[in-house]
Amino acid sequence: MDEGEQPSHQGEVNAAVECRLSRATADEEAWRRAMNMRSTASTTPNAAGSEPVLKYVQANGVRFAYLEQGSGPLVMFMHGFPDNAWSYRKQMQVFADAGYRAVAPFLRGYAPTEIPADGIFDPIALGKDLEALIAALSDDGQARVVGMDWGGTSTFQTLATAPSAIKAAVVMNTAHPITFSSIRRDPDAVRSLFHFYFFQLPGADTAVNIEGLPFVDYLWKLWSPSFKNDEHLRSIKETLSSPGTMTAALKYYGGLFESGRARRLPMNEMHTPTLTIYGANDPTSRYSVKEEPFFKGPHKRIVLPDVGHFPHLEREAEVTGLIMDWFQTHAPN
């Protein structure tokens, strides 16, 4: 049952709001105030054309916060770093208008989703998160999924280990595990992915998590120099400034490294219809052709010229159209 489901009577609405507020932590409430009332304080049912609603659900032992807009077949939008669920604001609007229920979770550890008590942030956990979120939020145990960066890692993991949960997928700028060995042997690729190694150094979180989060500005300018949206960057910084969030977000990198070293990254064949989108200027595109033999179902790989790390923001209309076309072709209502 969706914890954010709305009662029909005003008295019940007030009671539900009071109960939810009583459960929220002080940090969570501070985050909600910082995000302002334009998005997070709505307690009325959502419809196409309105603002996304912030809700909560328990999945895989973690209390997840998620944005929801529209009603109909479930479409999950999974974000990466440094980012948050608001990254998909425009896509959520388009899909809600088209008759879908668009859901964008804040990944584990990203406020206001809670930081998992077990401190695990590896790809296996991310895949189980996505699988559990789909089970908790869908009517039929399935969803169409869009993931990029860490959201793409969770999608690849689920496609390999729990394929029945995903009707069709779109994965953006996410290195498939088969490409890791090539990347490690390419000095230029290693230079481009310096953050992966830096974030694993002792004390990296204290070096990155300083006033103003200039590292966030630097990565966005480095990875997507053509994208300009100060409001979204402020939103990201508010998320990552929440106590414990930056430390949690950086642990994803060590989790991936250790999983690769221990050979716990699945290299399974995937039969789910999957579109992979890469920006030509993103280092993940360099060896992306190596992923193709693993897709045994419908698959298409697109490399967009003059695009960096965030294709859905840099080429908003084009990429949204590609996603919609893929789902309508391979997972029609």
Side-chain angles (χ1 to χ4, degrees), residues 38-39 51-52 69 85-94 231 313:
R38 67 176 172 83
S39 58
E51 289 287 308
Q69 187 169 6
W86 287 104
S87 188
Y88 292 109
R89 180 183 182 90
K90 295 296 178 64
Q91 285 76 29
M92 292 182 73
Q93 180 70 65
V94 170
E231 181 183 3
L313 295 171

Side-chain angles (χ1 to χ4, degrees), residues 244-257:
T245 291
M246 183 66 82
T247 299
L250 299 191
K251 287 182 178 179
Y252 282 56
Y253 295 89
L256 178 61
F257 179 83

Side-chain angles (χ1 to χ4, degrees), residues 216-257:
V216 171
D217 293 311
Y218 175 77
L219 290 179
W220 276 82
K221 289 177 182 177
L222 180 67
W223 293 345
S224 293
S226 66
F227 177 75
K228 301 288 187 273
N229 188 322
D230 291 341
E231 181 183 3
H232 185 52
L233 288 180
R234 282 194 297 271
S235 167
I236 294 166
K237 290 181 179 182
E238 286 159 359
T239 295
L240 294 173
S241 294
S242 182
T245 291
M246 183 66 82
T247 299
L250 299 191
K251 287 182 178 179
Y252 282 56
Y253 295 89
L256 178 61
F257 179 83

Side-chain angles (χ1 to χ4, degrees), residues 165-220:
I166 302 180
K167 290 184 176 181
V170 177
V171 180
M172 298 183 290
N173 279 346
T174 303
H176 187 278
I178 193 61
T179 67
F180 291 173
S181 61
S182 297
I183 290 171
R184 287 198 304 268
R185 292 193 298 265
D186 182 341
D188 191 54
V190 171
R191 178 193 61 79
S192 298
L193 295 169
F194 79 96
H195 67 290
F196 178 88
Y197 304 96
F198 174 65
F199 288 162
Q200 296 183 64
L201 295 176
D205 58 334
T206 58
V208 173
N209 197 20
I210 62 176
E211 184 177 358
L213 299 185
F215 213 96
V216 171
D217 293 311
Y218 175 77
L219 290 179
W220 276 82

Side-chain angles (χ1 to χ4, degrees), residues 249-287:
L250 299 191
K251 287 182 178 179
Y252 282 56
Y253 295 89
L256 178 61
F257 179 83
E258 289 300 322
S259 294
R261 186 183 61 82
R263 298 186 178 181
R264 291 188 288 111
L265 296 173
M267 298 278 192
N268 303 1
E269 293 181 351
M270 293 174 279
H271 297 268
T272 304
T274 303
L275 170 66
T276 52
I277 300 174
Y278 294 90
N281 296 337
D282 192 82
T284 58
S285 69
R286 185 170 304 185
Y287 299 101

